[in-house]
Amino acid sequence: MTRIVFSKTGYAKYISHLDLTRCMARIMARADIPIWYTQGFNPHPYMVFSAALPIGVCGERELLDIKLVDPPEYSILLDRMIKNSPDGISFSGIYDSDYDFKYIEKAVYRLIAPSDVSESFEEFVSSAVIPASKKTKSGEIKIDLKEEMQIKKTGEEKDGAVFEIIAPCGNERNISPTLLTGAFAEKTGNSAVFDIVRTAFLDGKSDIFR
Amino acid sequence: MINNIDKILSSVSKPSWYIGTELNAVHKDKERIHTRVAYCFPDLYDVGMSHLGMKLLYHLMNEREDLWCERVFTPNTDMEELLRKTGTPIFALESKDELKEFDFVAFTLVYELSYTGIATILDLAGIPLYAKDRTDDMPILLAGGPCMCNPEPVADFFDVIDIGEGEENLNELFNLYKECGKNRHEFLEKAKDIRGIYVPNHGEKQKKVTRAIINDLPNVYFPDRLVVPFAQVVHDRISLEIMRGCIRGCRFCQAGIIYRPYRQKPVERLKNDAVKLCQNTGYDEISLLSLSTSDFQKLPELAESLKEYCIPRKISLAVPSLRIDNFSKEISDEISSIRKTGLTFAPEAGTQRLRDVINKNITDEDIERSCKIAFENGASAVKLYFMIGLPTETDEDIVGIAKTAEKVVDYFYKYATNRSRGINVTISCATFVPKPHTPFQWEQQLTLEEIQRRQELLKSSIVSKRVHYKYHDADTTVLEGVFARGDRKIAKLIEAAWRLGCRLDAWSEHFDFSKWQKAAEGCGIDFYSYTARKRSFDEELPWGFVDSGITNEFLKRECEKAYRGETTPSCAEKCAGCGVNRLCKGDVCP
């Protein structure tokens, strides 16, 4: 399998996952990537994404697996993909990998709380429990974000306070950092916009998933 | 640039409608631009981004180095609410600047029910709706599009209205704006001299405005790229315009008149355009666009040459707008060999008598012959377009629609190679709206009650379970009729209805006829005086000053022939003398 490393930043963070898959297929077509098509009544380019990003969250190191037919050198392909992508979507790596996405267990996020709410946010995340409700296929369930996530303040920037969040990510269990900002907005009535970036995936041994 | 964009985008549904960074969206350095245009489509993003005309003119304008054209769509109701709540003005997608900063705010008007979108956008921009209420420092309001062949209902809103084909005169218009050094009064006065330009609210009223027509369609500008939306839109594919105009002369059809003369593009050019568009967009579908695709003389050659490029790349080719009378085995093969699309035909009327009245020159034999070809090639779904309320229509004609559809079912069982799949015939039925510049422009339109009675009659005439019947709401049709043949009084009605909360009227979930009725009452407007009244040939019509190129004598002659049940041959067979060639250089007609 050919693994591609890409980023989704700026206004592109507002593109839904479904729209991203369509966008990727078009990037591949424009870049003339010899991508393998599924066989069947309605063939489509074979692509598997590591994990969907919530709308409004950027991704710095997102992963996409494709299958290629007689590919030329990878560096040429990478170059062509970069040239053919819209603003906010870019590519930084291409390599072979058989390490299946099912081994992804967690994701690391960088969250910047804007200066005007950074203190109250810090206080909020240090409470003993952070109740939230999560929509699932079988209805809404109550969870404690404090138990699900590791939240740690890592510094200050001119835009606000920086936090690192490690949360479950993958097919088995997926907890979005937007649940945390949503719970904060609900509790304080402050709908500040947080800058959230997914920076990496982790496997079961908490190593960076590549 | 508005300052709370992230706050807005993170709270709205479908934020990707408002981000403006789609592939091929044009971004320029505004410091190096002379003229800025906010190009508005007065309906939602997914409809506007499906409209070829807007995409075409967006790129045409942006070809100019001195101009930056950006897009604006009517925000969805949640976005409108959010903008109002946060006191944020509506912004152009690319720069996210508010509309007041632009030189021009331009609207493309494609269907009448989008008119309240003009008021929504201007109100959110803080720009007065009426030209008379705007000051010199405000943007110049420009309108164009097919609806502007009767500009009067919205004329009070605009400073400049472009009637006809914008490719022909927009550059001249922007050159003039530059020459006038942005002097508004000088520009408006001189713009009247450009063909197709109507300046409705400045100085003396123009006695005649002649539609702008592209003389050299084979070589006219066509973009080699299109903005590719992130979100799925209604028509999410490459539309390749293969010709403009139509040789047929159906008497109810406005497009058949206002896009005259009939002009085809060369196969070679189309192939080149298609390849470039595929390479620059990554789309996996091309749809051929024209009023009557099967009339394109070199269709098999075109399809062959496109297939050569498309098949290895898994790009599918859609061929809509086929006619029954020249639907051939070759065309059927071309369609089915790439990817099967459903078959759609438009008999328009249920009996031969009425088809002769409207000059839809097809026969029952044509229908049988095309169905035979289609069913032998494996088609199992047919969609039939009809109209009710055409001039001289009787109940027999309505019942004829049901009978025609049931005959198609019979043809399926007679000719289909694989009968086990069954057949689905859908009747899609619109109600006739008399349109300006057509031979039926003087005709009366059915009243609400009569539309509903005939719809019920048709419904009860369908026996076969294989036939499904779809129809439009009767009340939207009445309103369309009012706008289509309206005069300057209609502007007040649009404003009043908008103030009562009318939004996005083309969407059935938003359309509220009772509000329109209330608005009409308040303005002292009687819908039926516009729609249900037969006008005499001598009556002065609101759009009478617009010269479409087609003479009034031709329209009257065609109207009289309709009542005698006489047909007129297509332009390819014999020139009917419509008069459009007066306005063209050289020999453009077939």
Side-chain angles (χ1 to χ4, degrees), chain B residues 193-211:
Chain B
D193 295 333
I194 298 175
R195 184 164 134 189
I197 297 297
Y198 173 40
V199 181
N201 301 299
H202 192 270
E204 236 172 274
K205 164 138 181 158
Q206 288 155 275
K207 289 192 183 66
K208 189 170 120 173
V209 178
T210 305
R211 176 170 64 103

Side-chain angles (χ1 to χ4, degrees), chain B residues 164-233:
Chain B
E165 296 170 329
E167 295 101 314
E168 189 65 17
N169 62 6
L170 274 176
N171 273 318
E172 206 179 326
L173 191 72
F174 293 123
N175 287 344
L176 176 68
Y177 182 65
K178 214 172 175 182
E179 276 161 36
C180 296
K182 301 198 176 189
N183 180 316
R184 189 188 190 96
H185 296 280
E186 189 188 342
F187 168 72
L188 291 179
E189 210 41 54
K190 286 185 174 166
K192 293 178 182 172
D193 295 333
I194 298 175
R195 184 164 134 189
I197 297 297
Y198 173 40
V199 181
N201 301 299
H202 192 270
E204 236 172 274
K205 164 138 181 158
Q206 288 155 275
K207 289 192 183 66
K208 189 170 120 173
V209 178
T210 305
R211 176 170 64 103
I213 299 175
I214 298 164
N215 213 66
D216 185 13
L217 194 82
N219 293 306
V220 81
Y221 173 83
F222 197 78
D224 63 359
R225 57 198 59 236
L226 300 168
V227 177
V228 185
F230 290 117
Q232 192 148 31
V233 298

Side-chain angles (χ1 to χ4, degrees), chain A residues 97-109:
Chain A
S97 176
D98 288 321
Y99 197 24
D100 199 290
F101 288 150
K102 71 181 180 207
Y103 297 111
I104 292 177
E105 290 199 357
K106 285 174 180 165
V108 186
Y109 301 88

Side-chain angles (χ1 to χ4, degrees), chain A residues 1-84:
Chain A
M1 208 74 86
T2 305
R3 182 153 297 168
I4 291 165
V5 186
F6 71 96
S7 61
K8 182 172 178 263
T9 55
Y11 288 122
K13 73 179 174 191
Y14 295 113
I15 307 168
S16 73
H17 186 67
L18 185 70
D19 293 346
L20 178 71
T21 55
R22 212 171 19 241
C23 172
M24 271 304 170
R26 287 171 185 158
I27 291 173
M28 299 300 162
R30 285 194 297 267
D32 205 10
I33 306 297
I35 197 162
W36 180 81
Y37 274 67
T38 59
Q39 311 293 298
F41 186 71
N42 204 355
H44 59 271
Y46 180 82
M47 293 189 297
V48 181
F49 287 84
S50 48
L53 269 173
I55 290 183
V57 176
C58 294
E60 263 173 10
R61 235 190 138 270
E62 297 296 299
L63 305 173
L64 164 68
D65 280 357
I66 56 173
K67 248 190 214 177
L68 296 172
V69 187
D70 302 328
E73 243 182 86
Y74 275 180
S75 61
I76 298 174
L77 294 185
L78 189 65
D79 213 42
R80 292 213 296 248
M81 287 190 284
I82 292 169
K83 283 199 185 99
N84 282 288

Side-chain angles (χ1 to χ4, degrees), chain A residues 11-16 19 22-23 25-26 29-30 37 42-43 55 84-87 89 190-193, chain B residues 1 5-7 9-10 15-16 19 21-23 96 228-232 236 279-283 313-314 339:
Chain A
Y11 288 122
K13 73 179 174 191
Y14 295 113
I15 307 168
S16 73
D19 293 346
R22 212 171 19 241
C23 172
R26 287 171 185 158
R30 285 194 297 267
Y37 274 67
N42 204 355
I55 290 183
N84 282 288
S85 44
D87 230 34
I89 298 200
N190 192 323
S191 59
V193 180
Chain B
M1 184 174 161
I5 186 78
D6 266 313
K7 200 151 196 165
L9 292 177
S10 44
S16 74
I19 63 181
T21 54
E22 305 95 319
L23 185 94
K96 303 189 177 54
V228 185
F230 290 117
Q232 192 148 31
D236 209 3
Q279 286 170 342
N280 290 333
T281 61
Y283 270 124
R313 291 167 183 82
K314 303 197 169 51
R339 204 183 277 182

Side-chain angles (χ1 to χ4, degrees), chain B residues 115-145:
Chain B
Y115 285 171
T116 51
I118 304 169
T120 307
I121 291 174
L122 291 182
D123 186 69
L124 288 169
I127 297 173
L129 179 59
Y130 288 90
K132 65 174 170 51
D133 299 333
R134 289 192 293 265
T135 48
D136 282 2
D137 57 338
M138 296 215 176
I140 293 171
L141 262 98
L142 172 66

